[in-house]
């Protein structure tokens, strides 16, 4: 199986209707949810409203293609995002699924992308999933990533698997299971 990359830009926690965000920004989202809306077929509901645009390129392409696709749309409206009324938060979400062991796709964000994200007050969320049956190589890569995270004064990460931005852990997912590290163990 090939590695996959999924990128989206998300605006969450606003009190207006998702359609109001669409009207204010002037671009169509790929996915919206209103607070209290049913989530799936069970009894769960969305705890907050969200408005999302997703990368339109193939998930097998390099991350640069995904970033370009999202940033082309954000460049046109980043000033409008800054002026959205009320409380909200936004972030660029990057999910990387690695199936072929160590040496997966490079995850790099250029200065222009980081500047635009900073200008609109967006955070950057990178989730790396080491998956596949590779004789333990993905587990070794997970250990490497975990050690890198814990030893670097410039790196930190967190998991959004629960859909909440205030989660205080970093989760590394492998074919052998999930390993979670409290943020207090991350040195800054």
């Amino acid at each position: 199986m090939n590695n996959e990359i999924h990128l989206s830009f998300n605006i969450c926690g606003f009190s207006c209707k998702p359609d109001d965000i669409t009207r204010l920004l002037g671009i169509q989202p790929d996915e919206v949810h209103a607070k209290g809306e049913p989530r799936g077929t069970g009894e769960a509901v969305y705890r907050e409203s969200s408005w999302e645009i997703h990368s339109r390129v193939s998930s097998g392409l390099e991350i640069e293609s995904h970033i370009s696709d999202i940033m082309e749309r954000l460049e046109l409206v980043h000033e409008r995002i800054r002026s959205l009324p009320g409380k909200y938060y936004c972030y660029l979400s990057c999910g990387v699924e690695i199936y072929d062991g160590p040496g997966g796709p490079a995850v790099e964000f250029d200065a222009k992308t980081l500047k635009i994200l900073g200008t609109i007050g967006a955070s950057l969320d990178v989730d790396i999933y080491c998956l596949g049956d590779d004789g333990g190589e993905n587990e070794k890569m997970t250990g490497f990533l975990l050690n890198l995270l814990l030893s670097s004064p410039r790196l930190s990460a967190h998991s959004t698997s629960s859909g909440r931005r205030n989660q205080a852990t970093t989760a590394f997912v492998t074919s052998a299971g999930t390993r979670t590290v409290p943020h207090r163990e991350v040195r800054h």
Side-chain angles (χ1 to χ4, degrees):
M1 181 173 265
N2 294 329
N3 297 326
E4 293 187 12
I5 296 173
H6 305 277
L7 215 74
S8 65
F9 177 77
N10 307 270
I11 301 173
C12 302
F14 47 87
S15 58
C16 62
K17 296 177 183 176
D19 289 344
D20 294 336
I21 301 292
T22 302
R23 185 180 45 76
L24 291 167
L25 297 182
I27 59 175
Q28 284 297 329
D30 295 307
E31 189 173 343
V32 297
H33 299 285
K35 181 178 180 177
E37 176 182 300
R39 186 177 190 139
T41 58
E43 293 183 24
V45 297
Y46 286 95
R47 295 181 185 175
E48 62 186 4
S49 296
S50 64
W51 184 99
E52 305 173 17
I53 56 173
H54 300 202
S55 171
R56 300 172 289 194
V57 300
S58 169
S59 63
L61 294 178
E62 295 298 319
I63 195 168
E64 293 84 4
S65 300
H66 293 274
I67 293 170
S68 292
D69 181 62
I70 296 282
M71 297 314 291
E72 283 174 12
R73 292 186 275 170
L74 286 183
E75 266 187 307
L76 302 173
V77 298
H78 75 273
E79 290 298 326
R80 286 182 244 164
I81 292 171
R82 288 183 59 191
S83 64
L84 288 174
K87 290 186 175 183
Y88 66 92
Y89 64 92
C90 54
Y91 62 98
L92 182 67
S93 175
C94 177
V96 180
E97 298 173 8
I98 301 173
Y99 292 95
D100 63 2
V107 178
E108 182 178 337
F109 299 90
D110 63 24
K112 183 177 179 183
T113 297
L114 296 174
K115 182 177 180 180
I116 291 172
L117 293 176
T119 298
I120 60 178
S123 60
L124 178 59
D125 175 35
V126 177
D127 295 321
I128 298 173
Y129 301 92
C130 303
L131 306 167
D133 184 17
D134 62 357
E137 289 301 312
N138 279 327
E139 189 64 31
K140 290 177 190 172
M141 182 167 56
T142 300
F144 168 77
L145 291 170
L146 183 58
N147 287 330
L148 177 65
L149 175 69
L150 294 175
S151 65
S152 175
R154 297 175 54 186
L155 292 178
S156 66
H158 62 82
S159 169
T160 59
S161 60
S162 69
R164 298 189 54 83
R165 299 294 300 162
N166 60 357
Q167 190 169 345
T169 60
T170 299
F172 292 93
V173 180
T174 70
S175 56
T178 302
R179 185 172 181 186
T180 304
V181 179
H183 265 240
R184 65 182 177 277
E185 294 181 22
V186 179
R187 291 178 239 142
H188 294 280

